[in-house]
Amino acid sequence: MHIFGMSTSDIRRLLTIIEQQLDWGDAATWQSKDFEILNQLIFDKTKISLSASTLRRVWGRVEYKNLPSGTTLDTLAMFAGFENWRAFIRSNSHQGKNNAAARPIVKPAVDRPKFNSIIATTLVLAVILIGVYFTERPGPGINNNDYKFSSKRLTGSIPNSVIFNYDATAAPTDSIYIQQSWDPRTKTLVSKSLHQHTSVYYEPGFYQAKLVVGGKTVKQHKLMIPTNGWLGLIENRPVPVYLKPADFIGKDVMRLNTSREWIKNAALPLQVPFIKYYNVGNFVPVPLTDFSFSVRVKNEYSEGSAACQFAGVSLITDSGPIIIQLSTKGCVSELNMIDVNLIISGKNVDLSGFGVDFSDWALVSCKSAAGKIQYYVNNKLVYEAPMPSYKVKIVGMGFNFQGAGAVKNIELRSGDKIAFQAF
């Protein structure tokens, strides 16, 4: 098929180049969140926006009989490192028909978080906390010592504005970004001649802020965004729906008041929203080498797309997070865990022990023991992993539920002493 200089084989070659540059694995496994991230990456590089729905059509994830428009192909070619679509075609013809794909001029600096859609959606509370997984090396001609980067938060609650102070006058390029976390969508282009930028953090946690020059991180530092006691919210983009304490805090249980009309309305869309509870920076940090933690949780909503009753328990640390996911037994294949610096997928590891019957409370606990972190569900050891080789401290915790959920009997210990206890 060949129309107006466009052939399906040429388009496929261009998509192959982009897939190789992104290094996100088989495009058939990309989730909706990935196309949203790609939309932002393309805009950052080309200043042209191709919607996530357009990108899904181009990659064949949505049935569409027409070929992409010339603008779409020009933009994709630019993103891949060519001047435009015509330059890409010329490059292919020069290299001969035996090449599987033309060699791109520039490889975009792209890091895609290695989490499936459930991690990205239900556990944003933890992955957004830390950006330490993806640290780029500075490019040629870039000396990290030539740059300065620091920050100051303005409040002790949420939302929280942070003032970033930076000096990037030595940059050989005007491509200078401040990135709030690992997520490339949180990048903001800043001026080489200025020295301050302000960002808003809508969720608490422990973040890794970055100063990015020419696609490479030259400076980064840790940044804790605390809560003033417990914070409850309904996930929403770009600004969450914040809950009043009376909406979810009870005398002996933390539970969303589902009789409220707005939560009934929030559950009507096809994608049931996630409810999150946080407590960050309100107790003395607990060393991971000598801790124990336990809590009882229950997902109390199972209608519509919430049939799997996904629930998450997270310990927020000054490094990578500890994330424990639960679901009904039939959905454990979709579960993931994060064990500070390891990501464990239910696609290739047996996580069936994290499948529960939410008609009753699920007791979730973890502790350090013999150089390992051990994970228990209803007093049964279901997983264990090596303790990190470096010092890590627990600074907060979070819980999330698709639809609605309840939490009680929270207890965090440092050795034999109680560090935090609630409900």
Side-chain angles (χ1 to χ4, degrees):
M1 186 175 181
H2 196 288
I3 302 176
F4 303 124
M6 306 176 193
S7 72
T8 54
S9 60
D10 287 333
I11 294 171
R12 181 62 256 172
R13 278 195 294 272
L14 177 59
L15 299 185
T16 298
I17 290 174
I18 294 174
E19 291 164 16
Q20 291 171 347
Q21 293 174 344
L22 294 171
D23 193 24
W24 290 358
D26 187 351
T29 67
W30 292 3
Q31 306 291 333
S32 294
K33 182 76 68 175
D34 299 323
F35 288 102
E36 293 170 6
I37 293 174
L38 182 56
N39 158 257
Q40 184 61 51
L41 292 173
I42 291 173
F43 179 78
D44 288 344
K45 185 174 177 63
T46 68
K47 304 309 176 189
I48 300 172
S49 179
L50 297 181
S51 69
S53 59
T54 295
L55 295 172
R56 284 192 289 269
R57 286 198 298 269
V58 171
W59 260 270
R61 301 298 291 275
V62 177
E63 186 174 356
Y64 191 70
K65 296 182 180 179
N66 296 330
L67 288 172
S69 69
T71 299
T72 296
L73 291 176
D74 279 340
T75 304
L76 291 173
M78 290 165 60
F79 181 69
F82 301 92
E83 183 180 356
N84 50 35
W85 170 255
R86 183 172 295 176
F88 164 72
I89 295 297
R90 285 201 306 267
S91 176
N92 269 307
S93 62
H94 291 161
Q95 296 193 33
K97 297 298 183 179
N98 293 328
N99 278 357
R103 182 175 180 81
I105 299 170
V106 179
K107 179 177 179 179
V110 178
D111 283 322
R112 179 242 206 176
K114 306 298 192 294
F115 313 126
N116 73 6
S117 61
I118 301 301
I119 280 287
T121 304
T122 72
L123 296 179
V124 172
L125 71 94
V127 246
I128 283 185
L129 315 175
I130 317 291
V132 297
Y133 307 118
F134 309 110
T135 303
E136 304 90 342
R137 294 181 180 274
I142 294 179
N143 186 344
N144 285 5
N145 294 329
D146 292 338
Y147 303 88
K148 295 180 180 179
F149 186 48
S150 62
S151 62
K152 179 180 69 174
R153 66 174 190 252
L154 296 187
T155 75
S157 59
I158 298 295
N160 200 332
S161 286
V162 173
I163 297 176
F164 291 100
N165 294 288
Y166 68 97
D167 187 340
T169 53
T173 173
D174 290 329
S175 177
I176 302 166
Y177 291 85
I178 287 178
Q179 186 168 319
Q180 291 178 255
S181 68
W182 65 265
D183 190 338
R185 292 171 301 166
T186 64
K187 285 196 308 186
T188 301
L189 184 68
V190 296
S191 172
K192 180 177 178 177
S193 60
L194 299 180
H195 299 287
Q196 285 190 326
H197 171 72
T198 303
S199 293
V200 178
Y201 285 76
Y202 291 107
E203 295 194 25
F206 208 94
Y207 295 82
Q208 190 84 357
K210 299 181 179 185
L211 179 64
V212 181
V213 176
K216 301 296 180 181
T217 298
V218 296
K219 291 289 184 181
Q220 58 184 326
H221 62 264
K222 296 177 179 179
L223 174 63
M224 184 167 73
I225 305 297
T227 62
N228 182 13
W230 284 103
L231 172 73
L233 59 87
I234 301 175
E235 187 177 68
N236 183 61
R237 297 293 180 181
V239 182
V241 178
Y242 297 105
L243 306 175
K244 297 178 181 178
D247 291 334
F248 68 100
I249 295 178
K251 181 180 179 180
D252 55 5
V253 67
M254 190 158 54
R255 169 184 280 128
L256 188 65
N257 182 356
T258 54
S259 66
R260 292 287 297 269
E261 192 63 30
W262 49 262
I263 187 58
K264 290 182 179 179
N265 293 335
L268 289 178
L270 293 178
Q271 184 61 45
V272 176
F274 284 83
I275 311 303
K276 303 178 182 180
Y277 310 128
Y278 290 99
N279 196 307
V280 180
N282 294 302
F283 54 81
V284 176
V286 175
L288 203 63
T289 51
D290 192 16
F291 88 101
S292 62
F293 171 80
S294 63
V295 64
R296 293 184 184 274
V297 297
K298 182 193 288 189
N299 187 313
E300 299 179 311
Y301 193 90
S302 60
E303 298 179 28
S305 62
C308 287
Q309 293 185 277
F310 290 115
V313 176
S314 299
L315 292 178
I316 300 166
T317 81
D318 58 0
S319 185
I322 291 175
I323 300 177
I324 304 168
Q325 278 195 303
L326 305 172
S327 72
T328 58
K329 293 183 182 296
C331 295
V332 294
S333 175
E334 295 297 326
L335 297 183
N336 291 268
M337 288 180 58
I338 296 183
D339 184 57
V340 183
N341 56 7
L342 297 174
I343 302 169
I344 303 102
S345 170
K347 297 295 185 184
N348 48 45
V349 175
D350 181 0
L351 298 182
S352 58
F354 296 95
V356 299
D357 180 357
F358 275 123
S359 63
D360 197 4
W361 292 90
L363 174 61
V364 179
S365 58
C366 55
K367 65 179 183 179
S368 54
K372 296 181 178 181
I373 303 176
Q374 297 181 332
Y375 299 88
Y376 296 80
V377 176
N378 294 326
N379 294 316
K380 180 181 178 181
L381 178 64
V382 294
Y383 194 83
E384 60 181 10
M387 182 73 63
S389 59
Y390 49 90
K391 293 182 179 179
V392 178
K393 292 184 178 180
I394 300 168
V395 299
M397 61 188 66
F399 307 92
N400 65 84
F401 304 90
Q402 187 175 22
V407 181
K408 68 177 183 179
N409 302 144
I410 303 169
E411 184 177 279
L412 174 64
R413 287 181 172 268
S414 179
D416 59 357
K417 296 180 180 180
I418 295 177
F420 182 83
Q421 194 173 48
F423 306 108

